[in-house]
Protein backbone atom coordinates (compact mmCIF):
# COMPACT_ATOMS: atom_id res chain seq x y z
CA UNK A 1 0.00 0.00 0.00
CA UNK A 2 1.17 3.51 -0.80
CA UNK A 3 0.02 6.59 1.14
CA UNK A 4 0.80 10.05 -0.17
CA UNK A 5 0.61 13.67 0.90
CA UNK A 6 2.23 16.86 -0.32
CA UNK A 7 5.91 17.67 0.07
CA UNK A 8 7.39 20.88 1.47
CA UNK A 9 5.93 22.92 4.33
CA UNK A 10 3.60 20.96 6.59
CA UNK A 11 0.84 21.82 9.06
CA UNK A 12 -0.71 20.12 12.07
CA UNK A 13 -3.50 18.50 10.08
CA UNK A 14 -1.28 16.55 7.67
CA UNK A 15 1.17 15.63 10.43
CA UNK A 16 -1.58 14.26 12.67
CA UNK A 17 -3.31 12.57 9.72
CA UNK A 18 -0.11 10.66 8.99
CA UNK A 19 0.26 9.81 12.68
CA UNK A 20 -3.26 8.33 12.77
CA UNK A 21 -2.70 6.30 9.59
CA UNK A 22 0.59 4.96 10.95
CA UNK A 23 -1.37 3.27 13.74
CA UNK A 24 -4.42 2.35 11.66
CA UNK A 25 -2.73 0.73 8.65
CA UNK A 26 -0.40 -2.23 9.16
CA UNK A 27 2.30 -1.46 6.60
CA UNK A 28 2.62 1.07 3.83
CA UNK A 29 5.01 3.08 1.72
CA UNK A 30 4.79 6.77 2.55
CA UNK A 31 5.48 9.46 -0.03
CA UNK A 32 5.55 13.24 0.31
CA UNK A 33 5.37 14.61 -3.19
CA UNK A 34 3.79 17.01 -5.67
CA UNK A 35 4.30 14.56 -8.53
CA UNK A 36 0.75 13.81 -9.75
CA UNK A 37 1.79 10.47 -11.20
CA UNK A 38 2.88 9.29 -7.73
CA UNK A 39 -0.20 10.84 -6.12
CA UNK A 40 -2.55 9.17 -8.62
CA UNK A 41 -0.94 5.77 -8.04
CA UNK A 42 -1.31 5.95 -4.24
CA UNK A 43 -3.98 3.99 -2.36
CA UNK A 44 -4.64 6.77 0.16
CA UNK A 45 -3.99 10.46 -0.51
CA UNK A 46 -4.56 13.20 2.04
CA UNK A 47 -4.22 17.00 2.02
CA UNK A 48 -3.32 17.09 -1.67
CA UNK A 49 -4.66 16.02 -5.07
CA UNK A 50 -7.79 18.16 -5.31
CA UNK A 51 -10.16 15.22 -4.80
CA UNK A 52 -12.40 14.27 -1.90
CA UNK A 53 -13.69 10.75 -2.40
CA UNK A 54 -13.34 8.44 0.62
CA UNK A 55 -14.41 5.41 -1.43
CA UNK A 56 -11.29 5.96 -3.55
CA UNK A 57 -9.05 6.86 -0.60
CA UNK A 58 -8.93 10.55 -1.55
CA UNK A 59 -8.94 13.00 1.37
CA UNK A 60 -8.14 16.48 0.11
CA UNK A 61 -10.14 19.36 1.57
CA UNK A 62 -8.93 22.38 -0.39
CA UNK A 63 -11.61 22.48 -3.06
CA UNK A 64 -14.50 24.98 -3.22
CA UNK A 65 -17.10 22.33 -2.33
CA UNK A 66 -15.08 21.14 0.65
CA UNK A 67 -16.22 18.44 3.09
CA UNK A 68 -17.82 19.71 6.30
CA UNK A 69 -18.86 18.36 9.66
CA UNK A 70 -22.54 18.22 10.57
CA UNK A 71 -22.24 21.59 12.34
CA UNK A 72 -20.76 23.19 9.21
CA UNK A 73 -17.13 23.26 10.37
CA UNK A 74 -14.84 22.44 7.42
CA UNK A 75 -12.80 19.30 7.83
CA UNK A 76 -9.03 19.35 7.68
CA UNK A 77 -7.13 16.27 6.54
CA UNK A 78 -6.81 14.91 10.08
CA UNK A 79 -10.54 15.32 10.69
CA UNK A 80 -11.28 13.23 7.62
CA UNK A 81 -8.65 10.61 8.41
CA UNK A 82 -9.75 10.39 12.06
CA UNK A 83 -13.36 10.00 10.94
CA UNK A 84 -12.55 6.98 8.75
CA UNK A 85 -9.42 5.52 10.41
CA UNK A 86 -9.48 6.70 14.03
CA UNK A 87 -11.39 3.67 15.28
CA UNK A 88 -8.80 1.38 13.65
CA UNK A 89 -5.93 3.34 15.23
CA UNK A 90 -7.30 3.40 18.78
CA UNK A 91 -6.34 -0.18 19.79
CA UNK A 92 -2.70 0.71 19.13
CA UNK A 93 -2.94 4.17 20.68
CA UNK A 94 -4.67 2.71 23.76
CA UNK A 95 -3.78 -1.02 23.97
CA UNK A 96 -6.13 -1.58 26.94
CA UNK A 97 -9.20 -0.18 25.19
CA UNK A 98 -12.28 -2.39 25.00
CA UNK A 99 -15.02 -2.46 22.39
CA UNK A 100 -17.48 -1.17 24.99
CA UNK A 101 -15.79 2.24 25.21
CA UNK A 102 -14.04 2.51 21.83
CA UNK A 103 -16.82 4.54 20.20
CA UNK A 104 -17.05 6.86 23.21
CA UNK A 105 -13.29 7.51 23.15
CA UNK A 106 -13.30 8.05 19.38
CA UNK A 107 -16.12 10.57 19.69
CA UNK A 108 -14.50 12.38 22.63
CA UNK A 109 -11.24 12.83 20.72
CA UNK A 110 -13.08 13.86 17.55
CA UNK A 111 -15.19 16.57 19.17
CA UNK A 112 -12.38 18.06 21.25
CA UNK A 113 -8.83 17.34 20.12
CA UNK A 114 -9.36 16.79 16.37
CA UNK A 115 -12.00 19.49 15.98
CA UNK A 116 -9.62 22.20 17.23
CA UNK A 117 -7.11 21.27 14.51
CA UNK A 118 -9.87 21.38 11.87
CA UNK A 119 -10.86 24.84 13.12
CA UNK A 120 -7.31 26.21 13.20
CA UNK A 121 -6.41 24.81 9.77
CA UNK A 122 -9.48 26.34 8.17
CA UNK A 123 -9.31 29.68 9.95
CA UNK A 124 -12.55 29.05 11.84
CA UNK A 125 -10.82 29.77 15.15
CA UNK A 126 -7.79 31.91 15.82
CA UNK A 127 -4.73 29.91 16.85
CA UNK A 128 -2.79 31.50 19.72
CA UNK A 129 0.99 31.18 19.94
CA UNK A 130 0.60 28.19 22.26
CA UNK A 131 -1.97 26.42 20.07
CA UNK A 132 -1.09 22.84 19.21
CA UNK A 133 -1.25 23.62 15.48
CA UNK A 134 1.49 26.23 15.76
CA UNK A 135 3.63 24.00 17.96
CA UNK A 136 3.60 21.33 15.26
CA UNK A 137 4.28 23.87 12.51
CA UNK A 138 7.37 24.97 14.46
CA UNK A 139 9.00 21.71 13.33
CA UNK A 140 9.27 23.07 9.77
CA UNK A 141 12.96 23.76 9.04
CA UNK A 142 14.15 27.34 9.35
CA UNK A 143 15.51 28.94 6.17
CA UNK A 144 19.11 28.33 7.29
CA UNK A 145 18.53 24.75 8.49
CA UNK A 146 20.19 21.81 6.80
CA UNK A 147 17.33 19.47 7.74
CA UNK A 148 15.07 18.25 4.95
CA UNK A 149 11.32 18.86 5.11
CA UNK A 150 10.69 15.11 4.97
CA UNK A 151 12.92 14.44 7.99
CA UNK A 152 11.33 17.34 9.86
CA UNK A 153 7.86 15.99 9.02
CA UNK A 154 8.69 12.59 10.54
CA UNK A 155 10.13 14.28 13.62
CA UNK A 156 6.92 16.31 13.97
CA UNK A 157 4.87 13.14 13.50
CA UNK A 158 6.62 11.43 16.42
CA UNK A 159 5.90 14.50 18.56
CA UNK A 160 2.27 14.51 17.40
CA UNK A 161 1.79 10.84 18.17
CA UNK A 162 2.99 11.32 21.73
CA UNK A 163 0.37 14.01 22.24
CA UNK A 164 -2.34 11.95 20.54
CA UNK A 165 -1.54 8.93 22.69
CA UNK A 166 -1.86 10.99 25.88
CA UNK A 167 -5.13 12.54 24.69
CA UNK A 168 -6.61 9.15 23.79
CA UNK A 169 -5.55 7.57 27.06
CA UNK A 170 -7.04 10.47 29.02
CA UNK A 171 -10.29 10.03 27.09
CA UNK A 172 -10.17 6.30 27.78
CA UNK A 173 -9.68 6.93 31.51
CA UNK A 174 -12.67 9.29 31.50
CA UNK A 175 -14.82 6.70 29.75
CA UNK A 176 -13.87 4.12 32.36
CA UNK A 177 -14.56 6.61 35.14
CA UNK A 178 -18.00 7.30 33.72
CA UNK A 179 -18.76 3.58 33.81
CA UNK A 180 -17.61 3.28 37.44
CA UNK A 181 -19.61 6.31 38.57
CA UNK A 182 -22.76 5.06 36.84
CA UNK A 183 -22.29 1.67 38.52
CA UNK A 184 -21.96 3.39 41.92
CA UNK A 185 -25.12 5.39 41.20
CA UNK A 186 -27.06 2.21 40.45
CA UNK A 187 -25.90 0.69 43.75
CA UNK A 188 -26.62 3.79 45.86
CA UNK A 189 -29.19 3.47 48.64
CA UNK A 190 -30.16 7.10 48.10
CA UNK A 191 -30.04 8.58 44.56
CA UNK A 192 -28.96 11.87 46.11
CA UNK A 193 -25.65 10.46 47.41
CA UNK A 194 -23.14 8.20 45.69
CA UNK A 195 -19.98 6.73 47.24
CA UNK A 196 -16.87 6.07 45.14
CA UNK A 197 -14.08 3.81 46.39
CA UNK A 198 -11.40 5.95 44.73
CA UNK A 199 -10.84 9.48 43.49
CA UNK A 200 -11.81 9.75 39.82
CA UNK A 201 -13.55 12.19 37.45
CA UNK A 202 -17.29 12.10 38.16
CA UNK A 203 -18.62 15.27 36.46
CA UNK A 204 -19.13 13.70 33.03
CA UNK A 205 -21.27 10.91 34.49
CA UNK A 206 -23.43 13.42 36.34
CA UNK A 207 -24.32 15.49 33.29
CA UNK A 208 -24.09 12.93 30.48
CA UNK A 209 -25.46 10.06 32.55
CA UNK A 210 -28.54 11.97 33.64
CA UNK A 211 -27.94 11.87 37.41
CA UNK A 212 -30.44 14.67 37.99
CA UNK A 213 -31.22 13.78 41.62
CA UNK A 214 -27.61 13.59 42.75
CA UNK A 215 -26.61 16.16 45.37
CA UNK A 216 -23.36 14.82 46.87
CA UNK A 217 -20.51 12.55 45.84
CA UNK A 218 -18.32 10.88 48.46
CA UNK A 219 -14.76 9.85 47.60
CA UNK A 220 -11.37 9.39 49.33
CA UNK A 221 -8.14 11.30 48.89
CA UNK A 222 -5.20 9.64 47.13
CA UNK A 223 -3.79 7.90 50.23
CA UNK A 224 -7.20 7.02 51.76
CA UNK A 225 -6.52 9.08 54.92
CA UNK A 226 -9.60 11.27 54.44
CA UNK A 227 -12.96 11.22 52.69
CA UNK A 228 -14.55 14.16 50.90
CA UNK A 229 -18.20 15.12 50.70
CA UNK A 230 -18.51 17.19 47.52
CA UNK A 231 -21.56 19.09 46.36
CA UNK A 232 -22.80 18.74 42.78
CA UNK A 233 -22.85 21.88 40.59
CA UNK A 234 -26.07 22.69 38.69
CA UNK A 235 -24.27 22.58 35.33
CA UNK A 236 -20.82 21.68 33.94
CA UNK A 237 -17.94 23.99 34.92
CA UNK A 238 -20.15 25.84 37.37
CA UNK A 239 -19.07 27.02 40.81
CA UNK A 240 -22.65 26.79 42.03
CA UNK A 241 -24.14 23.96 44.05
CA UNK A 242 -27.36 22.01 43.74
CA UNK A 243 -27.41 22.00 47.53
CA UNK A 244 -24.82 23.90 49.58
CA UNK A 245 -23.33 22.63 52.82
CA UNK A 246 -24.80 24.23 55.97
CA UNK A 247 -23.71 27.77 56.74
CA UNK A 248 -22.85 26.79 60.33
CA UNK A 249 -20.09 24.43 59.09
CA UNK A 250 -18.35 26.72 56.66
CA UNK A 251 -14.76 27.73 57.29
CA UNK A 252 -14.39 25.44 60.30
CA UNK A 253 -11.64 22.82 60.77
CA UNK A 254 -10.88 19.77 62.85
CA UNK A 255 -12.37 20.03 66.37
CA UNK A 256 -14.58 23.03 65.67
CA UNK A 257 -15.94 21.49 62.50
CA UNK A 258 -16.50 18.11 64.18
CA UNK A 259 -18.45 19.76 66.99
CA UNK A 260 -20.59 21.87 64.62
CA UNK A 261 -21.35 18.89 62.37
CA UNK A 262 -21.88 16.38 65.19
CA UNK A 263 -19.22 13.88 64.11
CA UNK A 264 -16.01 12.70 65.79
CA UNK A 265 -13.53 12.88 62.92
CA UNK A 266 -14.25 15.98 60.90
CA UNK A 267 -11.40 17.58 58.92
CA UNK A 268 -12.75 20.80 57.39
CA UNK A 269 -15.54 22.56 55.55
CA UNK A 270 -14.68 25.01 52.79
CA UNK A 271 -15.85 28.59 53.41
CA UNK A 272 -17.89 28.57 50.19
CA UNK A 273 -19.78 25.44 51.23
CA UNK A 274 -19.00 23.21 48.26
CA UNK A 275 -16.84 20.56 49.96
CA UNK A 276 -16.09 19.18 53.40
CA UNK A 277 -14.19 16.18 54.71
CA UNK A 278 -13.83 13.62 57.47
CA UNK A 279 -11.39 10.86 58.38
CA UNK A 280 -13.82 8.05 57.59
CA UNK A 281 -16.20 7.17 54.79
CA UNK A 282 -19.00 6.69 57.32
CA UNK A 283 -18.65 10.25 58.59
CA UNK A 284 -18.43 11.70 55.08
CA UNK A 285 -21.69 9.97 54.16
CA UNK A 286 -23.22 11.24 57.41
CA UNK A 287 -22.23 14.80 56.48
CA UNK A 288 -24.12 14.47 53.19
CA UNK A 289 -27.18 13.07 54.94
CA UNK A 290 -27.18 15.92 57.48
CA UNK A 291 -26.78 18.52 54.75
CA UNK A 292 -29.79 17.07 52.94
CA UNK A 293 -31.77 17.06 56.18
CA UNK A 294 -30.93 20.72 56.70
CA UNK A 295 -27.82 20.53 58.87
Amino acid sequence: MRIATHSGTFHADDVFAYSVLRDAVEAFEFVRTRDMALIDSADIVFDVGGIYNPAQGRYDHHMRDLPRREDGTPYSSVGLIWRDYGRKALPRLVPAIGEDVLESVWHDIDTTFILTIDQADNGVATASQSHLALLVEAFNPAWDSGQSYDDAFLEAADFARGILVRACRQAHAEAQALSLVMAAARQARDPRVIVLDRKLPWEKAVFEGGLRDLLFVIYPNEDLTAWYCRTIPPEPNSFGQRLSLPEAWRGLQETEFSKAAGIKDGVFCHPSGFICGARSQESAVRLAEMAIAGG
Side-chain angles (χ1 to χ4, degrees):
M1 175 178 283
R2 175 182 291 166
I3 296 177
T5 191
H6 61 82
S7 55
T9 302
F10 49 82
H11 301 95
D13 69 319
D14 42 309
V15 171
F16 274 99
Y18 168 72
S19 185
V20 172
L21 287 168
R22 194 162 52 170
D23 280 305
V25 180
E26 286 298 323
F28 59 87
E29 174 193 359
F30 181 55
V31 180
R32 298 186 74 241
T33 182
R34 295 284 184 180
D35 184 332
M36 287 307 300
L38 289 174
I39 291 171
D40 290 342
S41 67
D43 299 283
I44 299 174
V45 177
F46 63 90
D47 212 42
V48 72
I51 300 172
Y52 169 64
N53 188 330
Q56 296 179 4
R58 277 10 189 201
Y59 293 97
D60 199 4
H61 66 103
H62 295 101
M63 62 288 298
R64 177 174 294 183
D65 187 21
L66 49 76
R68 294 178 181 270
R69 292 172 173 270
E70 290 184 2
D71 66 357
T73 302
Y75 274 109
S76 71
S77 61
V78 70
L80 295 169
I81 293 297
W82 181 257
R83 185 195 65 192
D84 290 359
Y85 291 90
R87 295 171 182 84
K88 297 176 183 178
L90 274 171
R92 293 187 65 181
L93 295 168
V94 188
I97 198 168
E99 287 293 329
D100 57 327
V101 297
L102 191 146
E103 187 65 23
S104 173
V105 173
W106 175 88
H107 182 267
D108 194 359
I109 294 297
D110 183 61
T111 56
T112 55
F113 188 92
I114 301 296
L115 176 61
T116 63
I117 301 175
D118 285 351
Q119 292 171 332
D121 190 74
N122 288 286
V124 175
T126 302
S128 67
Q129 288 299 315
S130 60
H131 194 285
L132 177 60
L134 296 186
L135 296 179
V136 173
E137 288 178 20
F139 280 83
N140 280 285
W143 69 270
D144 58 349
S145 171
Q147 185 180 33
S148 71
Y149 276 94
D150 286 355
D151 287 345
F153 180 95
L154 295 177
E155 185 179 350
D158 289 339
F159 170 77
R161 185 182 188 275
I163 296 173
L164 183 59
V165 165
R166 293 298 301 174
C168 290
R169 292 181 183 179
Q170 288 285 353
H172 180 237
E174 287 190 7
Q176 290 181 304
L178 187 150
S179 178
L180 291 170
V181 174
M182 294 304 296
R186 289 191 294 271
Q187 297 167 6
R189 293 177 300 173
D190 184 338
R192 298 171 295 181
V193 181
I194 61 172
V195 180
L196 305 176
D197 62 3
R198 72 199 81 175
K199 184 178 181 181
L200 48 79
W202 47 264
E203 294 88 345
K204 191 171 184 179
V206 171
F207 299 108
E208 295 187 11
L211 302 181
R212 298 179 181 85
D213 297 326
L214 186 63
L215 297 176
F216 295 97
V217 58
I218 311 298
Y219 59 90
N221 62 5
E222 288 81 358
D223 56 8
L224 304 180
T225 58
W227 288 76
Y228 299 116
C229 171
R230 173 72 159 82
T231 63
I232 303 299
E235 55 192 20
N237 303 315
S238 169
F239 289 101
Q241 298 126 32
R242 288 181 177 176
L243 178 64
S244 300
L245 295 167
E247 182 71 34
W249 300 357
R250 299 183 195 180
L252 301 181
Q253 298 185 24
E254 301 292 344
T255 303
E256 290 185 349
F257 173 54
S258 298
K259 184 177 180 180
I263 59 175
K264 296 181 180 180
D265 57 352
V267 178
F268 77 102
C269 181
H270 195 277
S272 64
F274 81 96
I275 190 170
C276 61
R279 304 289 179 198
S280 65
Q281 180 191 103
E282 180 182 6
S283 290
V285 172
R286 179 63 181 147
L287 290 169
E289 291 172 343
M290 286 190 290
I292 293 171

